Amino acid sequence: MKTQLSSIMTKHVVCVSPEQNLIDVKHIYEKRNFHHHIPVVENNKLVGMVSLIDFMYNISGAGINDDNTVYSELTVKDIMTQKPFYLTTMSTIEDAAKVLIEGNYHAIPIVEDDRLVGIISTADLIKFFLSKAS
């Protein structure tokens, strides 16, 4: 039997809404041990993703000062990737590994009945395989 993603995914996912200002995204990225991919959720439904690259590209030159106008003028919907790729709770670890090895994604949202229920990153998969190797 193949192991389902739901057994190793991160279940307490940090999310933002499309209407939030970029200052909120900045503060999330300033936290330690963050996956660097933030799902965008509206009415519990996944509507987008923000990657660290999306964020950095759109704040070019803004610096670390919270008072820079870009952080209050731009919203999440201005920079997010719409209709993001996702897997379901029925997907397996092998399914996620095949997608992540292609290099187009570094984290994949996990959806069940159109609701975001988790996220899995390359680091999560590495931890899983290391635990099996020891």
Side-chain angles (χ1 to χ4, degrees), residues 19-36:
E19 304 305 319
Q20 283 181 262
N21 289 340
L22 288 195
I23 191 68
D24 297 329
V25 174
K26 178 182 180 288
H27 291 159
I28 291 168
Y29 281 132
E30 290 172 338
K31 292 180 181 179
R32 292 182 170 203
N33 298 322
F34 193 76
H35 284 277
H36 301 294

Side-chain angles (χ1 to χ4, degrees), residues 24-70:
D24 297 329
V25 174
K26 178 182 180 288
H27 291 159
I28 291 168
Y29 281 132
E30 290 172 338
K31 292 180 181 179
R32 292 182 170 203
N33 298 322
F34 193 76
H35 284 277
H36 301 294
H37 291 77
I38 306 171
V40 183
V41 177
E42 192 168 45
N43 300 320
N44 291 322
K45 188 174 182 176
L46 179 69
V47 296
M49 285 285 280
V50 173
S51 72
L52 181 59
I53 293 170
D54 296 332
F55 177 73
M56 296 302 291
Y57 180 78
N58 284 281
I59 62 145
S60 180
I64 61 170
N65 187 340
D66 284 0
D67 295 334
N68 192 297
T69 56
V70 72

Side-chain angles (χ1 to χ4, degrees), residues 58-97:
N58 284 281
I59 62 145
S60 180
I64 61 170
N65 187 340
D66 284 0
D67 295 334
N68 192 297
T69 56
V70 72
Y71 296 126
S72 58
E73 290 177 354
L74 286 179
T75 62
V76 169
K77 71 180 171 195
D78 295 326
I79 71 164
M80 72 182 193
T81 298
Q82 296 182 25
K83 299 178 185 174
F85 177 81
Y86 63 88
L87 292 173
T88 69
T89 52
M90 298 307 292
S91 301
T92 65
I93 291 172
E94 183 178 292
D95 296 332

Side-chain angles (χ1 to χ4, degrees), residues 5 9 46 84-100 108-112 115-118 120:
L5 285 178
M9 70 184 184
L46 179 69
F85 177 81
Y86 63 88
L87 292 173
T88 69
T89 52
M90 298 307 292
S91 301
T92 65
I93 291 172
E94 183 178 292
D95 296 332
K98 286 178 181 177
V99 170
L100 292 171
I108 305 169
I110 310 301
V111 173
E112 182 177 320
R115 290 183 42 239
L116 179 73
V117 295
I120 187 150

Side-chain angles (χ1 to χ4, degrees), residues 4-24:
Q4 290 185 328
L5 285 178
S6 56
S7 67
I8 68 164
M9 70 184 184
T10 299
K11 294 178 178 145
H12 301 289
V13 183
V14 174
C15 300
V16 291
S17 75
E19 304 305 319
Q20 283 181 262
N21 289 340
L22 288 195
I23 191 68
D24 297 329

